[in-house]
């Protein structure tokens, strides 16, 4: 008991990746919680029940999800709320896991434009109760959450890249193609 009680009372896990899209596009995928199902590593799956509340996106946006992952048998349930959003720069949110176990975390996304897109730094931090400290004797929080963050960043990159390509296709389709026919006489 003394060993468990003496363990750190908090954790921080962080991953970063360059996403091949503008900071604005990445920001829209993170600040608009309705887009989270396209990239979140914790999205339970197609049978998920979702509800959204608060503002449409940015500060005050809320998202509740509940479902069973395709490969799992346990119900995953949680809530996300955006606490702070600075356009194309940063988003801070809370994540409250309700099932399979209760846990709270702060999620922070920092976006920095780079020549090849946007450097995204995703940080998860939280407090540890006695049970979580005990679990930490057998695995690190970095080992437990790090792969999820890496997968989420990869999926965020894919979603942002698809959105960028779709926007480019729409822009190209909206531009009328004008052909000049040299055989057509012009007025003098």
């Amino acid at each position: 008991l003394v060993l468990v009680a003496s363990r750190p009372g908090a954790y921080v896990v962080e991953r970063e990746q360059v996403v091949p899209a503008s900071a604005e596009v990445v920001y829209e995928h993170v600040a608009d919680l309705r887009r989270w199902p396209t990239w979140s590593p914790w999205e339970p799956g197609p049978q998920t029940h979702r509800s959204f509340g608060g503002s449409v996106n940015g500060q005050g946006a809320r998202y509740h999800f509940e479902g069973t992952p395709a490969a799992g048998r346990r119900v995953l349930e949680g809530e996300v709320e955006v606490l702070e959003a600075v356009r194309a720069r940063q988003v801070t949110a809370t994540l409250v896991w309700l099932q399979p176990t209760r846990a709270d975390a702060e999620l922070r996304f920092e976006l920095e434009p780079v020549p090849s897109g946007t450097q995204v730094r995703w940080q998860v931090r939280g407090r540890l109760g006695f049970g979580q400290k005990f679990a930490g004797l057998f695995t690190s929080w970095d080992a437990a959450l790090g792969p999820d963050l890496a997968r989420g960043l990869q999926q965020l990159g894919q979603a942002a890249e698809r959105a960028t390509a779709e926007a480019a296709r729409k822009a190209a389709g909206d531009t009328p193609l004008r052909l000049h026919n040299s055989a057509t006489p012009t007025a003098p």
Side-chain angles (χ1 to χ4, degrees), residues 136-150:
L137 292 173
F138 305 102
T139 186
S140 74
W141 287 100
D142 192 80
L145 290 175
D148 287 351
L149 299 188

Side-chain angles (χ1 to χ4, degrees), residues 20-156:
S22 71
E24 187 67 31
V25 170
V26 175
Y27 172 85
E28 287 299 324
H29 278 78
V30 176
D32 185 345
L33 300 181
R34 295 168 301 172
R35 294 186 184 200
W36 278 46
T38 66
W39 65 266
S40 172
W42 301 310
E43 180 66 21
Q47 300 301 323
T48 301
H49 300 285
R50 299 176 186 92
S51 61
F52 300 91
S55 64
V56 173
N57 64 28
Q59 186 174 354
R62 290 189 311 275
Y63 169 41
H64 179 267
F65 58 90
E66 181 178 2
T68 305
R73 296 174 191 214
R74 298 184 307 180
V75 171
L76 295 178
E77 181 180 7
E79 298 173 341
V80 178
E81 181 175 357
V82 176
L83 301 176
E84 180 183 14
V86 179
R87 188 154 207 80
R89 300 293 300 159
Q90 179 235 302
V91 175
T92 303
T94 58
L95 168 63
V96 177
W97 284 106
L98 302 170
Q99 288 188 55
T101 59
R102 172 76 187 201
D104 299 351
E106 179 183 277
L107 312 176
R108 184 176 178 90
F109 298 86
E110 296 174 355
L111 314 177
E112 181 181 334
V114 295
S116 57
T118 303
Q119 178 76 33
V120 181
R121 179 178 297 117
W122 184 5
Q123 183 182 85
V124 178
R125 62 176 55 232
R127 310 267 326 139
L128 300 172
F130 186 83
Q132 294 158 326
K133 287 182 184 184
F134 181 76
L137 292 173
F138 305 102
T139 186
S140 74
W141 287 100
D142 192 80
L145 290 175
D148 287 351
L149 299 188
R151 187 174 70 252
L153 287 170
Q154 180 182 20
Q155 292 171 176
L156 175 60

